Amino acid sequence: MQFDKPATTNPIDRLKVVGQPVHRIDGQLKATGRAKYAYEWHDPNVPYVYGYPVGAAIAKGHIVSMDVSAAKEAPGVLAVVTALDVGERKKGKFNTAKLFGGSEIQHYHQAVAVVVAETFEQARAAAALVRVEYAEEIGAFDLKDAMKTAIKPKDVGGAPPDTAVGDFDGAFKAAPVSFDATYTTPDQSHSMMEPHASIAVWDGEALTIWTSAQMIDWWRSDLATTLDVEKEKIHLMSPFIGGGFGGKLFLRADAVLAAFGAKAARRPVKVALPRPFMVNNTTHRPATIQRVRIAAEHTGKITAIGHESWSGDLPGGQLETAAMQTRLLYAGENRMTAMRLATLDLAEGNAMRAPGEAPGMMALEIAMDEMAEKLDIDPVEFRIINDTQVDPEKPERPFSHRDLVSCLRLGAERFGWSDRGRPASRREGNWLIGLGVAAAFRNNLLVPSAARVRLDHEGVITVETDMTDIGTGSYTIIAQTAAEMMGVPIEKVVVRLGDSRFPVSAGSGGQFGANCSTTGVYAACVKLREAIAQKLGFNSEDATFENGEVRSGNRSVPLAEAAGSEGLAGEDTVEWAKLADSHQQSTFGAHFVEVGVDIATGESRIRRMLAVCAAGRILNPITARSQVVGAMTMGVGSALSEELAVDVGRGFFVNHDLAGYEVPVHADIPHQEVIFMDETDPYSSPMKAKGIAELGLCGVSAAIANAIYNATGVRVREYPITLDKLIGGLPDVT
Amino acid sequence: MSKMHIKLTVNGKPVELLAEPRELLIHVLREELSITGPHIGCETTHCGACTIDMDGRSIKSCTVFAAQANGANVTTIEGLGTPDGLHVLQTMFKEHHGLQCGFCTPGMITRAYRLLQENPDPTEEEVRFGMSGNLCRCTGYQNIVKAILAAAAELNAVKEAAQ
């Protein structure tokens, strides 16, 4: 199916199942602990053995030699495979750092060996016996230094690194009110609950692998490249995934090590990355340094807006696109954005939930708060004054649907925004209380997605697509889509996901999964409806699918009967034509936060949070709300505690576990509320839905930062806002 | 490495096994007994995905040796309810959408089970503090707290009706 015209009325609009608060269809499995994640795909008949990784002890350099003799002789050891043994390998298309192979060390904890043994304990003990001699080289680990030699890349994910409209410098100088500040965001860790894990089983040249992957086809292709086997020989499965947030978008070392280990040991091998490897062996969200400049008239109308961002990555890597949203979010005749990439020899920087916008909004939305204060205009009003209904860099391009203003107004009303006072003006006992606001913004991305839908003689609809459910609710919304399209109750739908034997879907990433994968299912259902109509001699345009029957004129036939003993199937791929060229598709929202800051200790506590989101049709208010609440919670960590601390001497992230990388806990999150705007976006898809999962994170940390400023009068521009950054500026306790 | 003879009760069933002194309880449960509801998340006692109930206490089984469980009575998520006979906490986690990816859920429910034994009628704040050793990275915490409060209310109603 080519989606090339805005959607008109279609069977989804019935909203009998889609849009309804349907409980997760995988809830039972998960609440009973019976959902099987990658590491526990137990088959009692398969004699699994265990692989344990060895990571590089230096950040940059070469392996001179490796001594694995002690490891090989250790009890239970079946095989030791080193990076030197497997030699240089072709790298997967989506990987910047190589995962395994060759003597070069690009970052700390890059895999240098895997030890396979009969038991986990034996493998771990023997891994400690592997001796490696390195030739260490000097690396770059400090972004503040490395930014001086940062380069301008040719393009950033298909977009230019710089944009300029009008005369930014002239307008900035001429404006009656202007503001210029620099912000920093730290390296962050996805820290999903499930560590990367894989089980690899070889049968001759064919490899079966269970792993934890957000993108089945990307992993399969890149694993084939790295192993140098035919892609068709690899069967890859990820039916349940314990969170990803971008950390499982691209092939990871556990899959490669399990495959090499299994080959060498001639046994099925399980490999889980130990938690510290998740930080220094895999990817993380890169730190940024961002400069934001805003100039405006006294009325609050922005006349110039500029956003520059610096981030680092390994050679050949990519930058964090933190200035991207500033191209679209606010009006202003004169504008500039620029993004620069520094070389850093830390682990690979890559996508983490809302790459670009999450750290970009952390800076931009503090700057908007600071500018509003300078103008003496309410920050909600300041944003509304500068709303735009067109792409401000290309005014001929309207937004497909943009309701940021309603999000801000409704949120302000519901949250009691009018109670907000001047900075440091409200105190309850030891607590300084403040309110903060920020806009939320994230683009809506469109990715091809395929599915196969079968109808059997019992009237059961089975959907097969390699789409993944990383906790988002894909199983459920896909079942809802098929039920709606085929006119059956959701109990009649079986959803099978995360298997490379199924048609290639959008996968889970970039908040495109829900809209794109359900549209792929929609397209396959259209094909199945046509097949059913054709078999019955109905005109598929006139056929109505309802109550488990297909009806045309006076004739109606139960689906089970229509299927016959052979059953019927439909398969299709949605492809997206150039609708997004003429109309900018984005999602919008507003975050409101109330914090308390302890006047004596500088400790910040969230008191309540509200997000109002405008993201097209909400396919399932239960799962969508949960996505936003989860994102808001991640935003609390991002604002207050999450920071990978870089050892700039040795070149690694020091706090590489959940002891040192602090994510929010129950007690940190007292109250959260989410409101969805009742809207549809016919430009996005026949589902008229857009992404929601990342929108909930974009802006929330800035809203917290702004609330802390309102509470204390202390402006912190370096995330996370820990008490040491506040305490010197707090009012006297008495 | 010499092995130790360990006897314990897991989900009501007596179990005897040989384990090395270095074997962690979580590995014995998962790899030897195929009880894979408790998950390994952090390996440092911080995330609680491996939470089990041992002799009337919530225990993070990733930092307890199997040998320390000798003679113990262990309950995991598998012992709290079955697919046909869910524990009320399991029902409430489902109904209140107290889960997303589900990886933390078995530990979360097992901890909540003990919390409600310790404090059968907790306030919302007591639930938040009592559950703070169990991390969730994707669902946020609102619905987990709701599910536990709803389960407490249900359990208390049943208890009252019985009296």
Side-chain angles (χ1 to χ4, degrees):
Chain A
M1 183 181 86
Q2 284 287 330
F3 185 70
D4 53 6
K5 287 189 287 295
T8 53
T9 303
N10 67 52
I12 296 297
D13 295 318
R14 296 187 288 192
L15 299 182
K16 286 185 178 165
V17 197
V18 169
Q20 299 302 319
V22 175
H23 287 287
R24 300 184 75 96
I25 64 173
D26 51 345
Q28 173 94 358
L29 274 177
K30 289 177 173 175
T32 53
R34 284 172 170 81
K36 296 286 187 191
Y37 300 86
Y39 197 69
E40 54 212 30
W41 202 264
H42 274 281
D43 181 341
N45 302 314
V46 175
Y48 296 111
V49 292
Y50 298 81
Y52 198 89
V54 181
I58 62 165
K60 186 175 163 68
H62 286 83
I63 300 169
V64 174
S65 65
M66 295 182 78
D67 178 2
V68 298
S69 53
K72 277 193 169 160
E73 286 161 19
V77 171
L78 300 166
V80 180
V81 184
T82 71
L84 301 180
D85 295 339
V86 303
E88 294 287 339
R89 315 296 303 189
K90 268 195 208 152
K91 209 174 55 178
K93 187 174 147 192
F94 294 98
N95 296 125
T96 297
K98 62 172 182 168
L99 298 176
F100 188 50
S103 64
E104 188 193 4
I105 302 299
Q106 297 168 298
H107 62 86
Y108 181 76
H109 263 178
Q110 192 160 35
V112 296
V114 60
V115 176
V116 180
E118 292 283 356
T119 71
F120 171 80
E121 291 75 17
Q122 289 169 337
R124 184 181 54 189
L129 300 175
V130 173
R131 293 284 167 262
V132 188
E133 190 190 335
Y134 299 100
E136 198 169 355
E137 291 165 25
I138 293 168
F141 310 114
D142 188 350
L143 178 61
K144 280 197 179 77
D145 285 342
M147 71 183 282
K148 291 166 201 153
T149 51
I151 56 137
K152 177 179 168 179
K154 280 196 191 111
D155 78 310
V156 288
D162 291 8
T163 55
V165 176
D167 172 16
F168 173 81
D169 287 330
F172 189 77
K173 278 191 198 115
V177 186
S178 63
F179 172 78
D180 180 349
T182 298
Y183 303 85
T184 64
T185 64
D187 295 285
Q188 293 180 335
S189 167
H190 309 87
S191 288
M192 56 283 185
M193 299 309 301
E194 183 202 23
H196 304 272
S198 295
I199 298 178
V201 186
W202 288 94
D203 179 8
E205 291 303 301
L207 173 66
T208 302
I209 188 153
W210 287 274
T211 188
S212 193
Q214 293 174 232
M215 308 293 287
I216 299 298
D217 194 58
W218 292 3
W219 277 62
R220 188 183 183 213
S221 300
D222 279 357
L223 185 58
T225 302
T226 306
L227 298 176
D228 194 21
V229 300
E230 285 173 43
K231 182 177 171 183
E232 287 64 36
K233 298 272 189 199
I234 297 177
H235 177 198
L236 189 140
M237 287 168 278
S238 279
F240 290 100
I241 297 158
F245 314 115
K248 294 169 180 170
L249 280 171
F250 318 113
L251 178 68
R252 298 260 59 90
D254 56 298
V256 177
L257 297 176
F260 277 120
K263 193 93 178 168
R266 297 171 184 277
R267 295 275 291 276
V269 168
K270 308 171 82 164
V271 175
L273 294 188
R275 179 62 64 168
F277 273 62
M278 292 175 69
V279 171
N280 283 298
N281 176 273
T282 75
T283 63
H284 64 281
R285 188 201 299 284
T288 66
I289 296 170
Q290 301 179 53
R291 181 188 189 194
V292 182
R293 283 176 289 172
I294 306 173
E297 295 168 358
H298 288 295
T299 58
K301 189 180 171 214
I302 292 175
T303 53
I305 185 163
H307 194 154
E308 294 153 88
S309 174
W310 292 261
S311 61
D313 201 0
L314 289 162
Q318 50 195 328
L319 55 71
E320 182 71 19
T321 55
M324 232 34 150
Q325 73 287 321
T326 309
R327 296 174 180 176
L328 291 163
L329 187 49
Y330 296 114
E333 277 181 27
N334 304 286
R335 6 189 4 111
M336 65 82 63
T337 62
M339 294 179 279
R340 296 293 178 268
L341 175 62
T343 297
L344 287 179
D345 299 297
L346 295 166
E348 178 178 334
N350 215 317
M352 176 171 152
R353 197 176 201 170
E357 279 106 329
M361 294 291 279
M362 287 168 79
L364 176 64
E365 289 298 289
I366 295 185
M368 287 295 285
D369 199 65
E370 297 202 60
M371 185 64 182
E373 186 179 41
K374 217 168 171 185
L375 288 159
D376 198 22
I377 295 175
D378 181 275
V380 170
E381 287 309 311
F382 180 50
R383 289 177 172 88
I384 291 171
I385 290 167
N386 291 291
D387 185 47
T388 172
Q389 291 296 313
V390 298
D391 173 349
E393 290 189 348
K394 297 175 189 123
E396 69 280 9
R397 274 182 89 226
F399 283 93
S400 60
H401 187 86
R402 171 172 166 137
D403 205 1
L404 174 62
V405 169
S406 295
C407 294
L408 287 161
R409 287 211 193 284
L410 180 64
E413 184 199 318
R414 292 286 178 88
F415 200 69
W417 182 248
S418 56
D419 292 345
R420 175 175 171 271
R422 290 273 160 195
S425 65
R426 190 173 152 202
R427 186 170 164 182
E428 292 175 14
N430 261 9
W431 294 100
L432 299 166
I433 314 295
L435 303 188
V437 66
F441 175 89
R442 171 78 170 139
N443 278 338
N444 185 54
L445 307 176
L446 299 171
V447 181
S449 197
R452 178 164 59 229
V453 183
R454 291 188 280 110
L455 167 66
D456 73 11
H457 66 282
E458 289 179 338
V460 172
I461 306 286
T462 301
V463 185
E464 292 172 333
T465 165
D466 84 355
M467 181 60 190
T468 49
D469 190 331
I470 58 174
T472 41
S474 310
Y475 277 106
T476 309
I477 56 171
I478 283 173
Q480 287 174 271
T481 303
E484 192 78 76
M485 287 299 290
M486 302 312 299
V488 299
I490 198 160
E491 295 74 28
K492 282 280 192 186
V493 180
V494 175
V495 181
R496 303 178 68 200
L497 300 181
D499 190 317
S500 63
R501 290 171 300 187
F502 303 154
V504 176
S505 72
S508 299
Q511 78 167 9
F512 51 66
N515 180 47
C516 297
S517 73
T518 55
T519 302
V521 173
Y522 170 99
C525 287
V526 169
K527 291 275 172 166
L528 178 58
R529 287 163 64 112
E530 286 168 4
I532 294 167
Q534 192 182 5
K535 185 175 173 193
L536 298 175
F538 291 172
N539 180 347
S540 66
E541 300 284 308
D542 306 334
T544 304
F545 290 76
E546 215 165 28
N547 303 325
E549 295 181 339
V550 53
R551 196 174 67 243
S552 181
N554 296 330
R555 221 181 124 202
S556 68
V557 181
L559 288 181
E561 190 186 318
S565 57
E566 301 281 294
L568 288 166
E571 181 172 340
D572 202 2
T573 307
V574 62
E575 279 167 14
W576 310 91
K578 303 267 177 185
L579 271 185
D581 287 353
S582 62
H583 289 74
Q584 173 60 36
Q585 294 186 22
S586 305
T587 61
F588 304 90
H591 288 288
F592 291 83
V593 178
E594 180 179 312
V595 300
V597 179
D598 188 299
I599 194 167
T601 65
E603 175 187 3
S604 298
R605 289 277 168 204
I606 302 294
R607 289 161 63 100
R608 58 194 179 100
M609 307 173 78
L610 166 68
V612 184
C613 299
R617 172 176 283 151
I618 299 303
L619 299 174
N620 181 331
I622 295 179
T623 54
R625 180 184 180 278
S626 190
Q627 281 291 295
V628 177
V629 164
M632 290 158 78
T633 305
M634 192 176 273
V636 172
S638 179
L640 299 181
S641 61
E642 291 183 35
E643 173 179 23
L644 289 172
V646 185
D647 179 331
V648 294
R650 304 284 299 169
F652 72 109
F653 299 116
V654 181
N655 51 341
H656 51 190
D657 55 32
L658 288 170
Y661 188 83
E662 296 175 339
V663 303
V665 304
H666 281 276
D668 296 324
I669 312 290
H671 180 85
Q672 290 169 324
E673 198 183 330
V674 180
I675 298 171
F676 293 117
M677 300 302 291
D678 186 9
E679 63 171 46
T680 56
D681 191 337
Y683 283 85
S684 69
S685 75
M687 306 302 293
K688 302 172 188 168
K690 293 192 283 199
I692 186 79
E694 297 185 338
L695 179 68
L697 178 59
C698 297
V700 63
S701 303
I704 294 166
N706 297 338
I708 290 172
Y709 173 73
N710 182 244
T712 63
V714 182
R715 183 65 77 175
V716 177
R717 300 192 180 101
E718 295 189 345
Y719 288 98
I721 306 171
T722 44
L723 47 81
D724 52 302
K725 295 171 190 170
L726 290 170
I727 200 159
L730 295 178
D732 288 338
V733 176
T734 49
Chain B
M1 194 173 283
S2 63
K3 293 198 173 189
M4 304 170 74
H5 185 213
I6 295 166
K7 282 187 185 178
L8 68 166
T9 306
V10 181
N11 296 330
K13 287 180 202 144
V15 175
E16 281 189 51
L17 51 87
L18 292 171
E20 294 177 349
R22 63 184 172 181
E23 275 186 69
L24 293 166
L25 181 55
I26 185 71
H27 287 128
V28 169
L29 290 172
R30 290 171 54 84
E31 305 302 327
E32 291 179 35
L33 303 178
S34 289
I35 293 172
T36 56
H39 297 130
I40 302 174
C42 67
E43 306 161 89
T44 50
T45 328
H46 289 86
C47 83
C50 65
T51 304
I52 59 163
D53 203 74
M54 188 161 110
D55 293 336
R57 289 197 302 166
S58 292
I59 293 291
K60 292 177 175 174
S61 58
C62 76
T63 36
V64 171
F65 290 115
Q68 289 172 280
N70 192 23
N73 188 5
V74 165
T75 305
T76 70
I77 187 78
E78 287 88 346
L80 286 184
T82 62
D84 296 329
L86 294 184
H87 188 276
V88 63
L89 273 160
Q90 294 172 313
T91 306
M92 293 306 176
F93 267 67
K94 261 178 69 181
E95 285 190 4
H96 291 270
H97 199 268
L99 56 87
Q100 281 196 155
C101 82
F103 198 77
C104 73
T105 310
M108 204 65 87
I109 291 177
T110 310
R111 168 58 197 146
Y113 165 77
R114 181 50 50 192
L115 176 70
L116 295 186
Q117 312 280 319
E118 294 162 353
N119 181 359
D121 193 14
T123 64
E124 187 175 322
E125 194 181 20
E126 285 167 344
V127 172
R128 290 190 193 283
F129 277 80
M131 294 299 296
S132 278
N134 288 69
L135 301 180
C136 161
R137 185 64 162 163
C138 65
T139 313
Y141 295 111
Q142 304 303 302
N143 288 349
I144 294 171
V145 174
K146 270 189 213 160
I148 295 169
L149 289 171
E154 174 79 20
L155 287 167
N156 290 333
V158 170
K159 215 184 292 170
E160 257 175 50
Q163 278 165 4

